Amino acid sequence: MPENKKIERNPAQKKAIQHIDGPMMVLAGPGSGKTSVIVERTAHMIEKADIPPGNILVVTFSRMAAAEMKERFLKYIGKSSSEVTFGTFHGIFYGILKQAYGLTAANILSEEEKVGILKGLAQEHGFEQVQDADFIDDVAREIGIVKSDRIALDHYYSTSCPDEVFRAMYQGYASALKARRKLDFDDMLVDCYELFRRREDILNAWRRKFRYILVDEFQDISPVQYDIVRLLAAPQNNLFIVGDDDQSIYHFRGARPEIMLNFGKDYPACETVLLNINYRCSGNVLKSSLKVVENNKNRFPKELSTPNEDGAPIRIQIFKTPRDQARHLVSYLKQRLQAGERIEDTAILFRTNQEAENLVAALIEYQVPFTMKDRLPNLFSHWICRNLRTYMKMAQGEMSRSNLLEVMNRPNRYFSREAIAYAVTRDAGGGTRVDLDRLYDFYQDKDWLCERVAQMERDLKALSTMAPYAAINYIRHGIGYEEYLKEYAQFRRLNPEDLLDVLDRLQESARGLKSLSSWEAFIENYTRQLQEQAKRQQSRKEGVILATLHAVKGLEYDKVFILNVNEESIPYKKALLPEALEEERRLFYVGMTRAKQELTLCYVLRQNDKERVPSRFLLEMGYTK
């Protein structure tokens, strides 16, 4: 008998495992053994209720989660294969469309194709002011929301750019997909829903196939996913959903926690089970995290407990600056390593990738091993850094066409691409450069543009004698780049302070360096170190874990540190509406409940010469300064 079967289950777990027919909602608190319940319930249906394995569908949100669930199930039943279907929403729905329409992999739009189409549309519609890679990601994400939520385009208001820009790109993208006869991931969902609505015969065939449906991580379901599941489950409604409304943290991917909150209204016959015993966290971690999340109004009330001891009290650590915070953590980790301890049991969490920059730099400097679950943050890969370096290169005489195109209208000088093409000359060695005299010739009948060329010449001459720190200051205030960033932020519907913060950090990195070449050498050395770290991570995972709060959902560590528990970080500054603030609270709750034994919450007093205040979530825990 497999070892798993010897584990004694608590009454709530037993009730969930033994449920067979009709709808059931399992509210699974963190560390409550939900995966085991799904695995054992699936086995119970086959072994005790004689349900054919081929009639069971277990669906979740990621391929990794589906593969892990299948592996645990096969291990539990002691077999190498089973006819139970484990898959993701996209995988299952693609299989349905494939059978109905004869689709192949060639019909699915790759991410590379998607990015290429959207970049082309940005240029085609003249959105040359859009230069950050995040713009394409943001537009792609919003296109997905419009599709999966089935929002009329005229009624959708973009958070990435002016509405007319977004609508033009959406329509252009839809036309490009149609011309290529391609589907993206969101189309798989929408088209599957439409197929079921149109073809009852096909729907009924899949209903006969999937008579019992289990949905994991149900709090992350989107409206179109839910509508398809409801169609599939009817009329028997053998729908078993497992999730935790307090851990719904993916609104930006289309998740709607209100679907789970209203499940009982959609299915009045639904039974509800609360897995209320947390086997992961110490008593103090659980109590403190519940104090925070209980401030949310839109949630199922629940009382959770743990058989574990109270353990160490939650520690609150205060630092003057993020740099002090990073150096303290590195010192702590060094001490543990010197004492012969393994630090793989420790995770350091933060709200956004950018907040790890100081920590990553300090870990590399002091050679403390670490593994970062997200993309390694490199300040110097930001497009603002590229702009600054281009200005300085031009001041040193690198007047290439690409350099001038990079910054000619940052700030806007109203130079045209045609003018730059006219001004390009070829030297004796076959190289090309922009001749500003030819730019004067092109604009000879426009005095105001000739004056802008002259002003740019004066600016570049002034920059040519400056050290990088002073040069950045001149670009910001003398050339007017800071005002350009504010205008750009307005176009992109960004907080201008975010861009100015990048500018501050870049300028600070150049402090004390005497030349552009010395700053570039510093940038190249740091970038090389990050690349080496990325290679190390691919070959072996070692050291302390660094991750965003989003990236650690479902994971657990003995010791957890959460950085920058300050207003504008946690909760994030963009969380202005009540529902957004509630999601930030849930995200903090997820971070706190990753800790099994020790939890340390850190906040800073100042950042970039600005005062920072502790998060309201600390106050909700009962913390007083």
Side-chain angles (χ1 to χ4, degrees):
M1 178 182 287
E3 186 179 346
N4 300 46
K5 293 196 176 184
K6 297 176 184 176
I7 297 173
E8 181 64 25
R9 298 301 174 188
N10 66 46
Q13 289 174 328
K14 285 180 181 176
K15 184 175 181 183
I17 289 166
Q18 293 167 6
H19 174 85
I20 302 296
D21 295 314
M24 171 173 272
M25 175 168 62
V26 177
L27 297 174
S32 61
K34 73 175 181 69
T35 304
S36 298
V37 165
I38 294 173
V39 164
E40 293 189 31
R41 192 239 177 186
T42 305
H44 179 83
M45 292 166 72
I46 297 165
E47 296 169 356
K48 304 296 183 185
D50 294 325
I51 294 168
N55 289 152
I56 300 171
L57 169 63
V58 181
V59 62
T60 189
F61 285 82
S62 73
R63 281 182 291 184
M64 187 182 297
E68 182 188 349
M69 190 84 73
K70 182 176 182 178
E71 184 182 342
R72 287 182 62 171
F73 171 72
L74 292 174
K75 185 178 179 182
Y76 182 83
I77 63 173
K79 295 183 179 179
S80 60
S81 64
S82 171
E83 292 181 11
V84 175
T85 299
F86 293 86
T88 64
F89 282 105
H90 285 102
I92 300 301
F93 299 162
Y94 169 67
I96 291 169
L97 292 174
K98 181 179 178 181
Q99 189 164 319
Y101 297 128
L103 297 181
T104 68
N107 297 115
I108 306 304
L109 190 77
S110 70
E111 281 302 305
E112 292 78 9
E113 287 177 293
K114 176 187 280 191
V115 169
I117 291 169
L118 292 174
K119 278 185 176 177
L121 287 167
Q123 293 174 353
E124 178 187 325
H125 289 285
F127 309 142
E128 291 183 359
Q129 63 268 57
V130 174
Q131 55 181 322
D132 55 310
D134 289 345
F135 172 70
I136 299 300
D137 293 341
D138 289 346
V139 169
R141 176 182 53 78
E142 291 198 81
I143 287 173
I145 289 173
V146 171
K147 287 184 178 185
S148 62
D149 285 7
R150 288 158 291 171
I151 302 169
L153 189 57
D154 289 344
H155 295 162
Y156 183 77
Y157 301 98
S158 174
T159 59
S160 302
C161 57
D163 296 328
E164 64 274 13
V165 172
F166 175 76
R167 288 168 188 163
M169 291 190 69
Y170 182 98
Q171 291 166 336
Y173 177 73
S175 298
L177 261 62
K178 190 172 183 180
R180 298 180 188 207
R181 299 173 65 96
K182 297 262 187 176
L183 299 177
D184 65 14
F185 282 104
D186 300 299
D187 292 327
M188 286 187 209
L189 308 183
V190 175
D191 287 8
C192 189
Y193 174 72
E194 294 299 332
L195 172 67
F196 281 170
R197 296 275 291 178
R198 289 195 319 270
R199 294 288 303 273
E200 195 170 352
D201 57 328
I202 292 176
L203 172 59
N204 284 333
W206 285 104
R207 282 171 170 169
R208 288 191 293 273
K209 165 71 174 167
F210 296 134
R211 289 171 45 221
Y212 292 85
I213 302 173
L214 298 85
V215 182
D216 187 23
E217 303 287 6
F218 190 79
Q219 74 279 350
D220 296 330
I221 201 164
S222 73
V224 68
Q225 289 167 341
Y226 183 49
D227 287 345
I228 297 170
V229 167
R230 293 197 72 188
L231 285 171
L232 266 178
Q236 286 91 356
N237 296 327
N238 296 323
L239 185 54
F240 184 89
I241 67 163
V242 183
D244 182 4
D245 56 303
D246 287 333
Q247 296 187 70
S248 180
I249 57 173
Y250 294 117
H251 189 275
F252 65 95
R253 292 183 190 167
R256 299 293 177 263
E258 58 271 18
I259 293 174
M260 188 169 193
L261 292 171
N262 292 324
F263 189 78
K265 294 178 183 176
D266 293 336
Y267 294 95
C270 166
E271 289 187 70
T272 300
V273 172
L274 172 63
L275 302 185
N276 62 342
I277 300 178
N278 178 313
Y279 295 98
R280 174 192 302 152
C281 303
S282 70
N284 282 324
V285 169
L286 183 62
K287 282 182 278 191
S288 295
S289 62
L290 287 172
K291 279 183 184 177
V292 175
V293 81
E294 284 169 354
N295 284 273
N296 276 354
K297 292 183 171 58
N298 297 310
R299 64 185 292 268
F300 290 114
K302 49 184 86 74
E303 292 183 13
L304 305 182
S305 63
T306 178
N308 301 329
E309 295 180 0
D310 281 349
I314 309 304
R315 285 188 299 175
I316 311 289
Q317 292 192 317
I318 309 167
F319 300 96
K320 286 184 180 178
T321 67
R323 182 167 293 184
D324 293 335
Q325 178 180 246
R327 292 195 177 278
H328 170 83
L329 286 167
V330 170
S331 174
Y332 159 79
L333 293 167
K334 285 281 281 186
Q335 288 172 9
R336 287 186 59 193
L337 286 170
Q338 288 163 0
E341 294 183 35
R342 282 172 49 83
I343 57 174
E344 283 77 7
D345 66 350
T346 302
I348 302 176
L349 312 180
F350 28 83
R351 178 62 178 82
T352 66
N353 240 14
Q354 291 71 32
E355 291 181 306
E357 281 173 0
N358 282 308
L359 181 59
V360 167
L363 289 166
I364 288 174
E365 180 182 353
Y366 290 97
Q367 298 182 318
V368 175
F370 69 95
T371 297
M372 185 144 181
K373 296 188 71 64
D374 308 82
R375 178 176 50 84
L376 283 159
N378 187 356
L379 171 66
F380 304 112
S381 66
H382 199 285
W383 56 269
I384 291 177
C385 183
R386 190 175 68 238
N387 286 178
L388 297 176
R389 291 170 75 180
T390 298
Y391 265 118
M392 289 187 236
K393 287 176 183 177
M394 288 169 59
Q396 299 300 320
E398 295 184 34
M399 291 296 294
S400 67
R401 178 176 179 271
S402 60
N403 278 349
L404 191 52
L405 287 173
E406 173 80 30
V407 296
M408 67 180 186
N409 289 319
R410 294 161 188 162
N412 199 353
R413 299 178 176 91
Y414 299 94
F415 292 167
S416 68
R417 285 179 172 266
E418 293 77 16
I420 305 305
Y422 178 84
V424 171
T425 60
R426 191 171 295 277
D427 58 30
T432 61
R433 71 187 310 277
V434 175
D435 184 341
L436 292 185
D437 287 339
R438 287 180 61 82
L439 202 55
Y440 282 116
D441 290 344
F442 188 88
Y443 287 128
Q444 60 184 316
D445 57 343
K446 293 184 174 66
D447 291 345
W448 65 280
L449 279 169
C450 286
E451 172 52 32
R452 288 172 187 259
V453 178
Q455 183 60 52
M456 186 173 70
E457 268 196 292
R458 291 191 291 270
D459 289 335
L460 293 177
K461 186 175 181 181
L463 282 176
S464 67
T465 62
M466 296 179 183
Y469 185 90
I472 294 173
N473 204 52
Y474 185 84
I475 294 167
R476 294 179 74 155
H477 305 293
I479 291 179
Y481 188 75
E482 200 165 292
E483 286 305 310
Y484 158 71
L485 288 184
K486 291 175 182 175
E487 291 171 8
Y488 182 78
Q490 185 175 12
F491 173 83
R492 281 281 281 112
R493 299 189 173 175
L494 302 170
N495 183 343
E497 290 298 320
D498 291 348
L499 300 184
L500 296 180
D501 177 58
V502 172
L503 203 47
D504 287 340
R505 287 182 287 147
L506 286 166
Q507 187 168 0
E508 187 59 33
S509 76
R511 188 188 290 274
L513 299 174
K514 292 183 169 57
S515 65
L516 172 60
S517 61
S518 60
W519 191 45
E520 296 222 300
F522 172 80
I523 291 171
E524 286 164 17
N525 181 55
Y526 181 70
T527 300
R528 186 179 65 254
Q529 289 176 321
L530 285 184
Q531 289 167 346
E532 290 169 357
Q533 169 65 25
K535 285 180 185 175
R536 281 196 297 272
Q537 289 188 184
Q538 286 179 347
S539 60
R540 66 183 187 277
K541 309 293 184 190
E542 62 175 357
V544 66
I545 304 298
L546 273 55
T548 61
L549 293 170
H550 281 104
V552 289
K553 187 168 176 294
L555 303 177
E556 57 184 41
Y557 306 93
D558 289 346
K559 299 174 176 63
V560 169
F561 293 80
I562 304 181
L563 306 189
N564 302 325
V565 188
N566 289 82
E567 288 294 308
E568 298 195 343
S569 290
I570 302 173
Y572 195 51
K573 54 196 159 193
K574 290 184 180 179
L576 302 176
L577 298 175
E579 55 268 30
L581 183 59
E582 292 213 348
E583 178 149 330
E584 290 294 308
R585 194 176 275 113
R586 293 193 293 268
L587 186 57
F588 187 51
Y589 173 74
V590 166
M592 294 178 75
T593 53
R594 299 313 92 194
K596 294 162 70 175
Q597 297 168 10
E598 297 178 21
L599 175 62
T600 304
L601 307 174
C602 309
Y603 71 86
V604 299
L605 300 175
R606 297 191 71 78
Q607 185 173 4
N608 296 333
D609 296 324
K610 295 171 188 169
E611 187 177 343
R612 303 285 311 269
V613 297
S615 169
R616 70 193 74 183
F617 299 158
L618 294 178
L619 306 180
E620 290 170 0
M621 282 171 49
Y623 170 70
T624 54
K625 287 193 286 183

